[in-house]
């Protein structure tokens, strides 16, 4: 079974590289205790997000899909002094759990959760002039991924890094006749990303202790 070797390597890499502190460990426990879905990014993906984010020297980060705040904490720890992260979340319970985790991590002054449907809050961020963001992480419901990406472009500047999680879906993205609405959502995103001028984009496949999946990366060359 290839999954056994993927899992073993993931465990080895986590042990070697991912030193989670009390706040990250408590965040994972809070997700279990609060009965939130167990769909946070993996430990090593969290570290990878942190490294990508650090490379952008960010003052402003936007996340779409907070859950318990596990990915949020990894990214917020890459903020420049005085930097701010806004995370969009639909579910009040998820937001409550995440806010407690941000306090535990000492990040409560750097992170704001905007409660509501992201398709409602994203236009508000544009109206308010909340952008441009240096890093945007798309990780909420998959059906509107293409729309989240279009809104992200409006909240970008040249050099903004846009990241999207779960874009390979065990290879189901190859199925042109799929009826799976999440797969269709990701296929639409890939089509938009591959055909938008003014961005430099690719997708990297992931294996590990989660399913075969992938992360999309796009650097904005020309803002919209
Ligand atoms: N980024 C998190 C995982 C996010 S899971 C991590 O890796 O730690 C996806 C989250 O998106 C869930 O908390 C879910 O409630 C939220 N969500 C789902 N649909 C949404 C919508 N339309 N608008 C905003 N958030 C949504
Ligand atoms: C799942 C995983 C994710 O990373 C996510 O954002 C949503 C769902 C899942 O495994 O079902
Ligand atoms: Mg995800």
């Amino acid at each position: 079974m290839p999954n056994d070797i993927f899992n073993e390597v993931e465990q080895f890499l986590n042990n070697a590289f991912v030193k989670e502190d009390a706040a990250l460990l408590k965040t994972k426990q809070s997700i279990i205790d609060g009965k939130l879905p167990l769909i946070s990014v993996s430990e090593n993906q969290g570290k990878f997000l942190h490294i990508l984010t650090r490379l952008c020297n960010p003052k402003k980060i936007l996340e779409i899909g907070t859950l318990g705040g596990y990915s949020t904490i990894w990214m917020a720890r890459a903020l420049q002094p005085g930097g701010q992260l806004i995370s969009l979340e639909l579910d009040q319970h998820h937001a409550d759990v995440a806010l407690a985790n941000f306090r535990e991590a000492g990040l409560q002054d750097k992170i704001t959760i905007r409660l509501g449907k992201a398709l409602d809050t994203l236009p508000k961020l544009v109206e308010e002039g909340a952008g441009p963001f240096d890093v945007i992480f798309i990780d909420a419901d998959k059906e509107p991924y293409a729309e989240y990406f279009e809104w992200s472009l409006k909240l970008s500047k040249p050099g903004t890094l846009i990241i999207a999680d779960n874009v390979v879906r065990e290879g189901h993205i190859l199925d042109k006749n799929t009826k799976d609405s999440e797969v269709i959502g990701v296929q639409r995103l890939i089509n938009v990303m591959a055909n938008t001028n003014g961005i430099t984009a690719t997708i990297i496949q992931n294996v590990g202790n989660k399913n075969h999946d992938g992360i999309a990366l796009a650097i904005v060359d020309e803002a919209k």
Side-chain angles (χ1 to χ4, degrees):
M1 279 288 287
N3 282 354
D4 292 341
I5 188 74
F6 296 158
N7 283 329
E8 275 182 52
V9 170
E10 186 75 14
Q11 204 51 57
F12 168 77
L13 297 175
N14 285 344
N15 292 340
F17 289 107
V18 187
K19 310 280 185 272
E20 291 176 293
D21 65 352
L24 285 169
L25 292 170
K26 279 191 184 174
T27 295
K28 288 197 297 189
Q29 192 59 46
S30 76
I31 289 168
I32 296 168
D33 295 344
K35 301 196 164 41
L36 278 62
L38 303 179
I39 56 174
S40 308
V41 294
S42 72
E43 289 83 353
N44 209 18
Q45 286 170 343
K47 181 132 188 210
F48 183 64
L49 277 180
H50 175 83
I51 290 172
L52 287 176
T53 306
R54 277 259 297 272
L55 285 168
C56 299
N57 299 318
K59 281 239 162 195
K60 285 188 191 185
I61 303 172
L62 176 64
E63 175 175 67
I64 309 176
T66 319
L67 194 66
Y70 185 78
S71 56
T72 325
I73 291 173
W74 277 109
M75 291 191 293
R77 287 180 168 169
L79 280 168
Q80 291 283 300
Q84 289 286 324
L85 186 155
I86 297 176
S87 190
L88 311 185
E89 176 55 55
L90 177 63
D91 186 298
Q92 177 77 61
H93 176 51
H94 296 181
D96 290 343
V97 170
L99 286 171
N101 291 326
F102 301 153
R103 274 193 294 280
E104 190 68 37
L107 292 167
Q108 67 278 3
D109 297 335
K110 296 188 177 181
I111 303 173
T112 310
I113 294 183
R114 292 292 194 95
L115 202 64
K117 283 177 61 180
L119 284 177
D120 296 332
T121 41
L122 285 162
K124 287 190 187 133
L125 292 177
V126 172
E127 271 171 41
E128 289 167 20
F133 293 90
D134 303 296
V135 178
I136 301 175
F137 179 46
I138 302 173
D139 193 23
D141 49 332
K142 312 307 170 193
E143 288 82 355
Y145 255 33
E147 287 72 27
Y148 293 158
F149 187 76
E150 299 282 8
W151 282 108
S152 297
L153 290 176
K154 294 192 172 64
L155 291 161
S156 293
K157 60 177 174 46
T160 295
L161 175 64
I162 303 175
I163 308 167
D165 193 25
N166 311 115
V167 295
V168 169
R169 314 200 72 80
E170 298 183 280
H172 294 305
I173 52 163
L174 299 181
D175 181 357
K176 294 193 179 82
N177 301 314
T178 185
K179 300 262 184 312
D180 181 327
S181 62
E182 296 187 323
V183 174
I184 292 168
V186 168
Q187 288 171 328
R188 289 175 57 236
L189 169 79
I190 292 173
N191 189 43
V192 169
M193 281 182 79
N195 294 296
T196 296
N197 292 325
I199 67 169
T200 302
T202 194
I203 290 176
I204 292 287
Q205 299 185 66
N206 303 142
V207 295
N209 53 3
K210 301 186 82 183
N211 292 333
H212 171 213
D213 215 329
I215 294 191
L217 301 175
I219 297 182
V220 176
D221 300 318
E222 292 162 32
K224 299 260 156 189

